Amino acid sequence: MPAPVIEERDTDYPFSQHISPPLTGEFHTYVRTFHMLPGVAGNHSEGPRMTWHRTSGLGLAALLCMLVVLPAEGEICGDAVCSYRFVVRRARTMTHTRTVQGREQNNQVSITNDGHLELFTTLTLDRNRDDVNGTRVSADDVITADGVQRNVILVNGQFPGPAIEVMEGAQVAVTVVNQLMTDAMTIHWHGLHMRNTPWMDGVPSVTQCPIMPHESFTYRFRAFPAGTFYYHSHMSSQMADGLFGPLIIHNSQTTIPSFPLLLNDWYHEEAETLDIASKENLYHRGAGQFEYDVPSRGYSVDGIEITIRQFVSALINGRGRYKSNKAPLSKFTVEEGQKIRIRLIHAGGDHNFKVSIDQHALRVLASDGHDINPLTVDAIIVSPGERFDFEIDASVSPDLYWIRAETLREGTCVTCSSENITLTPDDIVEDSRAVLVYQGSSSDEDPTSQARQCTPENPCIFLNCPFEGYPEDRQIVCISIANTSAPTSHQDYAAEDDDVEEYFLNFGFHVGSNINGHRFLPPTAPLYQSPRTNMITPCPLESCQQGCNCTHILDLPFNKTIQLVLASYQNSRFANAHHNIHVHGHTFDVVAMGYPSRDRVTGVFKDSNPDVVCSNEQCTAVTWRQGPPSFNVKNAPQKDTVLMPAHGYAVVRFRSDNPGFWFLHCHQSIHLAEGMAMVLNVAADRHPATPSGFPKCGNFSWSEEGYEAAVSGAWPPNQKEPARHETWELVVAVLGSAAGGAAVATGLMMWLQKRRNSNSN
């Protein structure tokens, strides 16, 4: 059922009524929003409505005679300026809202054994509530998540948030209204370069002040580059509570049907609780009750821990199942013989997932929004922050087929030491599923399809493995992302060795989650503010070799080829990880990937890749053993997030031609919260100035003398700011010109003169 996305409104008008902006005692600009989002669940009981939103100020005077129509999901905004309004609030999953006798009524929802949704209430003494128990409702009207009730963050009443689809080069304006009541927030536009607008990147305390409750903030940026991206909260681990949505930038009109497939981990505790309870919390150690004990942790086939955070469930487009319940799943309908494009977006924060569709090959077209030469695979391994575009041909027997997203868990570690790692397979399946429905097939039941069997004659092909390969008897071939290629050579500068600036960044667990021994502490205010207000914690070289907590900033020169060697080395063979590293503000070339050696029978790694060695006793710094290996600088794949091997490395290159402060971090939320992050300060002398009126924040303190002066009455009184009339005079001029009515202009001038007189008094 289509549902309106605008939650906050000054006045609502049904379509059948004459539409005009509401009248108030002040002059305002009203922006009309007419925005329907079909196919996304929400607590909506009303039909479509039109809303007017009040704005004001000098910058909006030019809009006095315009109405802005916002695009609907699935429609591409082809305008030069695409405007959106995001109202962000919390709600409860597994609840349903309806209107009874003119009163809004909210009830809890339960799942029957046969998968239907029914209302129930415990408010038996409420005289205004009818007996709703057993009333069936549509899954389209309920945010079910995995069928367990908990808080969720909604954008315009939807989870996941509404899609933004625009043409490349358009100006995108998104006004974010924070209705979270007690939490600050920001939104990061993952993968976009934000060229010339680096303070729109959405990193709290680095590029902007957090948006406080009841405040709004308008992001404005150029839609570049083209491809599949997404937006998400960058405030601590808040993204895990549901604040994310797809962002698609087109460079041409689409020729085949496409849809986003958003994948995310899902927990029954809110993200803040998970962070507070973490045993590796940056500020204090928690009890770790939501983390695995060592004996029960899951391991991937190469003998590497998946994550210490306990798996609960996962969702595809906001739906999944907890254990064996019958919660509704996301369904994607195709016509027989049709070709469709799926935009896979990992919007979660912890687990890597292997994504496949039973009996369907995946023809991969792009990674992180950038085209690659197409290749056909059976499964894609995707880590948090990564995106893959692929096509499928709906050419098999019409039926229902599972879309599977499974973690890389293979079993537990029986022997886990620096000398030996032995895995024992278990029967634990950590996954999420959706359904591919051929048109005309009955979709009331679950599919009975099976994944394709891998054989010596027809082995399975997996893309983006964070290890070199599976055991030989599994008949699985791994393709490294570094072994894919771009259709055309795009960066000739990459081969100029004399122009390359090389930096080694090691992500091994020497002192918890760190980069080169540094655990990131954010500044007290955005780095674009005056150094007097954005207090940072210095990083002393000597102490940081042993491990330190500080504001880690790396200065990069302008317009050089920056080569980052992203390594995951440590003295211990045990307790390493496959990190997924995201660089803000840039697209990089993946020019090399180095894997550790492995046992081809068991698949478990044996020794770290020999190309890189630790350069100090703590291994907080690394370097090449005997010079760098050969690099693929021609037609290298382009990405903004890369999944790197444990006990190995990835080498990426980009041009430092986008001045600004850019965050670099592991996109596993638990690692980021523990300090695995830093800031790249690109071309410090070329940073663009912030817009006029850009919010400021920071610490505050005042002196004992100042306090005594204030309480004694000696403190200088506030100076009344002179009234500013320029805005109103422009309003009068525009209205007079647009309406052609001298009477309107004369009346407003009389009102303005009266306002001036009152101000002067």
Side-chain angles (χ1 to χ4, degrees):
M1 176 183 295
V5 301
I6 300 299
E7 296 282 321
E8 182 184 81
R9 43 189 172 258
D10 295 310
T11 307
D12 286 347
Y13 298 91
F15 288 146
S16 59
Q17 295 182 2
H18 175 71
I19 298 173
S20 59
L23 300 176
T24 65
E26 298 181 6
F27 187 88
H28 296 277
T29 298
Y30 283 84
V31 180
R32 185 178 68 179
T33 62
F34 177 30
H35 189 179
M36 305 300 297
L37 289 180
V40 178
N43 292 349
H44 306 289
S45 57
E46 300 178 2
R49 304 184 69 81
M50 180 165 289
T51 60
W52 292 89
H53 300 283
R54 190 180 68 185
T55 59
S56 62
L58 176 61
L60 294 172
L63 295 176
L64 289 171
C65 302
M66 295 176 59
L67 294 177
V68 179
V69 180
L70 301 190
E73 183 185 37
E75 296 180 1
I76 302 172
C77 173
D79 299 333
V81 180
C82 298
S83 299
Y84 301 84
R85 177 180 170 89
F86 281 4
V87 177
V88 180
R89 65 176 179 88
R90 279 191 171 86
R92 296 286 285 174
T93 63
M94 295 299 292
T95 59
H96 178 272
T97 301
R98 63 180 187 169
T99 301
V100 178
Q101 296 180 352
R103 296 170 60 91
E104 188 176 90
Q105 186 185 96
N106 192 279
N107 295 286
Q108 300 181 74
V109 176
S110 63
I111 305 172
T112 64
N113 293 333
D114 58 356
H116 290 94
L117 302 183
E118 292 184 350
L119 303 183
F120 75 95
T121 180
T122 57
L123 301 176
T124 56
L125 300 181
D126 186 351
R127 292 178 296 179
N128 295 318
R129 184 179 295 269
D130 59 345
D131 183 9
V132 301
N133 292 307
T135 302
R136 289 192 173 182
V137 294
S138 169
D140 291 337
D141 296 328
V142 180
I143 296 174
T144 55
D146 66 353
V148 176
Q149 192 174 99
R150 57 151 288 179
N151 287 350
V152 60
I153 296 179
L154 308 181
V155 179
N156 294 346
Q158 297 183 13
F159 167 63
I164 293 177
E165 291 202 50
V166 299
M167 297 301 295
E168 185 177 21
Q171 180 187 146
V172 181
V174 184
T175 296
V176 177
V177 181
N178 183 357
Q179 291 186 355
L180 292 179
M181 299 177 68
T182 59
D183 289 353
M185 61 165 290
T186 63
I187 291 184
H188 170 56
W189 314 92
H190 188 107
L192 272 60
H193 291 182
M194 297 293 164
R195 188 175 295 274
N196 298 320
T197 58
W199 5 263
M200 295 284 107
D201 194 45
V203 183
S205 301
V206 174
T207 64
Q208 70 170 96
C209 301
I211 308 169
M212 301 303 291
H214 315 297
E215 290 183 350
S216 68
F217 182 95
T218 298
Y219 292 95
R220 195 176 292 273
F221 52 86
R222 179 174 175 244
F224 181 85
T228 298
F229 306 94
Y230 73 114
Y231 60 85
H232 63 81
S233 170
H234 219 300
M235 192 76 190
S236 186
S237 300
Q238 195 176 67
M239 172 181 64
D241 291 333
L243 210 175
F244 56 81
L247 170 56
I248 313 300
I249 300 176
H250 300 268
N251 55 16
S252 63
Q253 292 294 329
T254 57
T255 58
I256 65 172
S258 69
F259 58 79
L261 193 159
L262 282 87
L263 173 64
N264 66 289
D265 320 83
W266 192 245
Y267 304 99
H268 294 163
E269 302 290 337
E270 292 190 70
E272 185 178 37
T273 300
L274 298 178
D275 287 343
I276 292 172
S278 171
K279 289 186 289 188
E280 297 297 330
N281 187 294
L282 188 58
Y283 299 100
H284 67 274
R285 290 182 178 270
Q289 63 267 42
F290 306 111
E291 298 163 6
Y292 288 116
D293 293 330
V294 173
S296 57
R297 291 178 185 174
Y299 286 75
S300 53
V301 71
D302 56 340
I304 300 300
E305 283 184 13
I306 295 175
T307 177
I308 66 172
R309 184 162 286 168
Q310 295 175 7
F311 181 87
V312 177
S313 67
L315 310 178
I316 294 176
N317 284 6
R319 289 181 174 178
R321 289 175 177 170
Y322 176 59
K323 295 185 176 179
S324 59
N325 72 13
K326 295 293 185 179
L329 299 176
S330 295
K331 297 178 180 179
F332 306 99
T333 302
V334 297
E335 297 178 7
E336 184 180 4
Q338 186 181 43
K339 180 181 292 184
I340 63 171
R341 183 178 186 129
I342 297 177
R343 302 177 183 272
L344 172 62
I345 301 170
H346 193 331
D350 288 302
H351 293 82
N352 303 325
F353 286 92
K354 178 187 67 178
V355 176
S356 63
I357 303 177
D358 286 358
Q359 307 304 316
H360 290 75
L362 316 180
R363 186 170 181 263
V364 185
L365 305 175
S367 177
D368 292 356
H370 300 279
D371 291 344
I372 62 174
N373 285 313
L375 69 158
T376 301
V377 303
D378 296 282
I380 300 170
I381 294 176
V382 59
S383 69
E386 288 189 297
R387 292 90 62 210
F388 287 91
D389 288 31
F390 61 89
E391 287 180 353
I392 65 169
D393 289 321
S395 56
V396 300
S397 176
D399 206 340
L400 310 180
Y401 295 91
W402 283 122
I403 300 174
R404 303 175 187 267
E406 303 173 342
T407 74
L408 302 187
R409 182 183 181 116
E410 292 280 334
T412 56
C413 191
V414 177
T415 304
C416 298
S417 67
S418 294
E419 292 74 32
N420 187 31
I421 294 178
T422 304
L423 299 185
T424 297
D426 57 30
D427 296 327
I428 298 176
V429 177
E430 301 172 335
D431 71 347
S432 181
R433 297 190 185 187
V435 182
L436 184 69
V437 180
Y438 275 66
Q439 198 169 66
S441 301
S442 174
S443 59
D444 293 337
E445 302 294 331
D446 285 347
T448 58
S449 62
Q450 299 293 322
R452 183 175 82 80
Q453 294 298 309
C454 310
T455 66
E457 297 76 23
N458 189 15
C460 295
I461 301 175
F462 290 4
L463 175 63
N464 199 36
C465 304
F467 36 77
E468 191 174 32
Y470 281 83
E472 291 180 341
D473 63 358
R474 299 277 290 275
Q475 311 302 332
I476 298 172
V477 176
C478 277
I479 298 179
S480 167
I481 195 67
N483 290 335
T484 64
S485 61
T488 58
S489 184
H490 37 75
Q491 294 182 349
D492 295 336
Y493 65 79
E496 301 294 334
D497 291 339
D498 58 349
D499 195 35
V500 175
E501 300 257 348
E502 185 175 61
Y503 303 87
F504 288 84
L505 303 178
N506 191 22
F507 297 83
F509 290 121
H510 328 288
V511 288
S513 296
N514 72 94
I515 302 177
N516 288 355
H518 303 64
R519 301 181 71 185
F520 185 77
L521 291 176
T524 59
L527 294 171
Y528 294 103
Q529 285 186 204
S530 165
R532 295 192 302 270
T533 59
N534 60 15
M535 304 297 292
I536 65 173
T537 304
C539 302
L541 179 61
E542 293 185 3
S543 62
C544 286
Q545 289 183 352
Q546 306 294 324
C548 62
N549 297 352
C550 65
T551 310
H552 189 188
I553 301 176
L554 175 63
D555 296 328
L556 299 180
F558 177 67
N559 206 29
K560 296 289 185 179
T561 297
I562 304 300
Q563 178 166 295
L564 301 180
V565 182
L566 309 174
S568 184
Y569 284 71
Q570 57 192 48
N571 291 324
S572 171
R573 296 181 66 225
F574 182 57
N576 206 325
H578 306 124
H579 298 295
N580 48 310
I581 307 306
H582 175 49
V583 179
H584 289 216
H586 297 82
T587 294
F588 51 71
D589 293 354
V590 182
V591 300
M593 192 84 75
Y595 295 93
S597 61
R598 66 187 176 99
D599 186 318
R600 295 186 176 274
V601 175
T602 65
V604 174
F605 88 95
K606 295 195 298 187
D607 297 298
S608 297
N609 186 289
D611 295 342
V612 170
V613 294
C614 300
S615 56
N616 61 16
E617 183 178 354
Q618 296 76 25
C619 205
T620 53
V622 296
T623 189
W624 297 119
R625 180 186 295 272
Q626 294 179 332
S630 60
F631 298 137
N632 171 29
V633 297
K634 184 179 181 180
N635 299 93
Q638 293 185 292
K639 289 178 67 64
D640 54 63
T641 308
V642 63
L643 178 59
M644 54 187 286
H647 303 285
Y649 63 86
V651 182
V652 303
R653 287 185 173 186
F654 63 88
R655 196 71 176 177
S656 58
D657 58 357
N658 189 12
F661 292 109
W662 303 109
F663 215 34
L664 180 156
H665 61 95
C666 179
H667 221 279
Q668 289 190 36
S669 59
I670 192 169
H671 293 168
L672 173 57
E674 293 169 359
M676 190 170 277
M678 64 184 299
V679 173
L680 303 179
N681 180 12
V682 177
D685 60 339
R686 295 172 179 260
H687 288 192
T690 57
S692 176
F694 195 75
K696 295 183 178 181
C697 51
N699 295 338
F700 169 76
S701 179
W702 61 323
S703 66
E704 180 180 343
E705 292 77 9
Y707 168 79
E708 294 295 343
V711 298
S712 67
W715 192 265
N718 288 332
Q719 301 295 321
K720 179 178 284 189
E721 184 178 348
R724 297 181 178 179
H725 305 297
E726 293 83 4
T727 298
W728 302 107
E729 290 167 349
L730 179 58
V731 167
V732 170
V734 173
L735 268 183
S737 173
V744 174
T746 302
L748 280 173
M749 286 298 294
M750 293 176 62
W751 171 83
L752 179 59
Q753 184 61 47
K754 182 178 180 181
R755 183 183 177 94
R756 286 174 172 170
N757 295 338
S758 63
N759 286 338
S760 62
N761 294 332

